[in-house]
């Protein structure tokens, strides 16, 4: 690797946190994002190694089960004799346990690195402070929680899963310019009444590919018969989850097509046919219990696509973290009213004639 010279103030002491330190952690965040979609349920992690103002090594966790960011960064250093004067910057506390790969703390100690700057501590019980303790016990200077908000936000699904013991929940719906999610359906009427334009379809499929599971209620399956897979972009289809009290779905429902793993979460039945699991839950109306059930099965994030009853249930219970509301230019004048969120959106973007508002749960 060639040296990369940055014109910033370099660390003066082992304890002082400088603008250079913060810039290196931000650079490590950028590296970590290269692992998006490939490392779950592990967190995304990036690592930079620098001597003075020179970057001598970089790496990121690229694939679940493969080498961690610290190992890749150390391996990229072409002049290992410099490591004894180097600082290692990493977005998450180095692991101190044997998992699918050896402990990163052991590798850091073996390398001779004498200073480590960490973006955020790892809440995973087998790490959680042990990595830092091991480094400090060996005489390594360690700085913690540098650019912590950015590091935690990048891995917000992982932190929610570890700390709250439930999946990270993202709500999504489309609404007309006059605030309706659907027309007023007559008895037995099925089919999709499109609100958003064709550009949005690829966006939604990209969102699906980024989450562990996509969830809808039984009425959405009956009325819209969605596939809930990733087709418009390159990516992996998430686990499909349907909430239904009686375990019954119409014959020919697209979610029963075996195209992706599917869980029918219900009150009555446990069964499995191919990719389809009927997962019994004591009460599908108790979303806290549903989310705890999903957590127990290692589902780290859930993308909730409807319908109105399910969305309202998540909102009313406060069991959501983000919402993405697509507003089209068409109007229905009457029909099924869309949910209304309190507060202002944190971000707004446009696709074609549609506007997407992004919200975070501030509760």
């Amino acid at each position: 690797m060639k040296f990369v010279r940055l014109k910033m103030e370099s660390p003066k002491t082992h304890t002082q946190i400088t603008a250079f330190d913060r810039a290196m952690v931000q650079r490590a965040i950028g590296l970590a994002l290269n692992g998006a979609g490939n490392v779950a349920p592990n967190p995304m992690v990036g690592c930079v190694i620098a001597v003075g103002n020179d970057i001598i090594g970089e790496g990121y966790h690229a694939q679940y089960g493969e080498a961690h960011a610290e190992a890749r960064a150390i391996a990229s250093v072409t002049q290992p004799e410099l490591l004894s004067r180097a600082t290692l910057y990493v977005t998450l506390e180095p692991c101190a346990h044997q998992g699918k790969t050896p402990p990163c703390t052991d590798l850091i100690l073996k390398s001779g690195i004498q200073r480590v700057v960490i973006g955020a501590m790892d809440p995973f019980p087998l790490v959680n402070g042990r990595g830092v303790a091991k480094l400090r016990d060996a005489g390594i200077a360690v700085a913690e929680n540098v650019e912590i908000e950015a590091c935690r936000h990048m891995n917000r699904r992982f932190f929610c899963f570890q700390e709250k013991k439930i999946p990270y929940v993202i709500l999504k719906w489309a609404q007309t310019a006059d605030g309706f999610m659907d027309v007023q359906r007559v008895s037995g009427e099925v089919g999709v009444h499109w609100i958003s334009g064709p550009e949005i379809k690829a966006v939604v499929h990209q969102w699906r590919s980024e989450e562990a599971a996509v969830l809808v209620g039984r009425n959405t399956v009956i009325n819209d018969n969605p596939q809930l897979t990733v087709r418009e972009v390159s990516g992996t289809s998430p686990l499909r989850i349907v909430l239904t009290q009686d375990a019954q779905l119409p014959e020919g429902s697209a979610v029963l097509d075996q195209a992706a793993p599917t869980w029918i979460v219900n009150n009555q039945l446990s069964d499995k046919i191919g990719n389809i699991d009927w997962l019994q839950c004591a009460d599908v109306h108790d979303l806290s219990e549903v989310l705890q059930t999903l957590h127990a099965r290692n589902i780290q994030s859930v993308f909730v696509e409807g319908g109105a009853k399910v969305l309202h249930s998540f909102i009313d219970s406060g069991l959501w973290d983000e919402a993405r509301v697509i507003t089209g230019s068409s109007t229905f004048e009457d029909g099924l009213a869309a949910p209304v969120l309190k507060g202002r959106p944190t971000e707004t973007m446009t696709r074609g004639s549609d506007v997407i508002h992004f919200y975070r749960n501030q509760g």
Side-chain angles (χ1 to χ4, degrees), residues 62-211:
Q63 190 71 43
Y64 176 70
E66 295 184 0
H68 287 186
E70 300 94 321
R72 289 181 177 273
I74 291 171
S76 75
V77 176
T78 57
Q79 295 178 265
E81 65 273 13
L82 296 175
L83 289 171
S84 62
R85 296 191 287 116
T87 296
L88 181 144
Y89 301 91
V90 64
T91 56
L92 192 69
E93 179 184 9
C95 62
H97 67 291
Q98 176 69 47
K100 291 184 178 294
T101 61
C104 290
T105 48
D106 289 357
L107 186 59
I108 293 170
L109 295 177
K110 184 179 179 180
S111 75
I113 290 170
Q114 292 299 302
R115 183 172 184 260
V116 176
V117 175
I118 298 169
M121 299 296 286
D122 190 337
F124 183 59
L126 292 179
V127 182
N128 199 7
R130 297 181 184 183
V132 165
K134 191 170 185 178
L135 293 173
R136 284 189 171 137
D137 287 347
I140 306 299
V142 180
E144 306 165 23
N145 298 328
V146 178
E147 300 296 296
I148 182 173
E149 289 187 9
C151 289
R152 284 181 63 92
H153 179 72
M154 172 179 65
N155 281 314
R156 55 198 182 277
R157 297 160 180 82
F158 172 76
F159 281 100
C160 176
F161 184 83
Q162 295 295 336
E163 295 172 348
K164 295 183 180 180
K165 307 303 180 186
I166 57 174
Y168 191 85
V169 175
I170 301 173
L171 310 181
K172 166 260 169 181
W173 69 85
Q175 63 186 34
T176 61
D178 54 352
F180 294 102
M181 288 183 64
D182 199 359
V183 298
Q184 195 66 51
R185 293 178 183 261
V186 298
S187 180
E189 180 186 357
V190 297
V192 180
H193 296 274
W194 288 103
I195 293 173
S196 56
E199 299 90 349
I200 291 294
K201 196 170 186 180
V203 173
V204 172
H205 284 211
Q206 179 62 43
W207 289 344
R208 287 177 185 169
S209 74
E210 295 168 354
E211 309 307 330

Side-chain angles (χ1 to χ4, degrees), residues 343-361:
R344 295 179 177 273
T346 58
E347 182 184 352
T348 299
M349 63 184 287
T350 59
R351 286 292 185 273
S353 60
D354 301 313
V355 179
I356 307 172
H357 294 295
F358 297 81
Y359 295 83
R360 291 186 194 171
N361 188 354

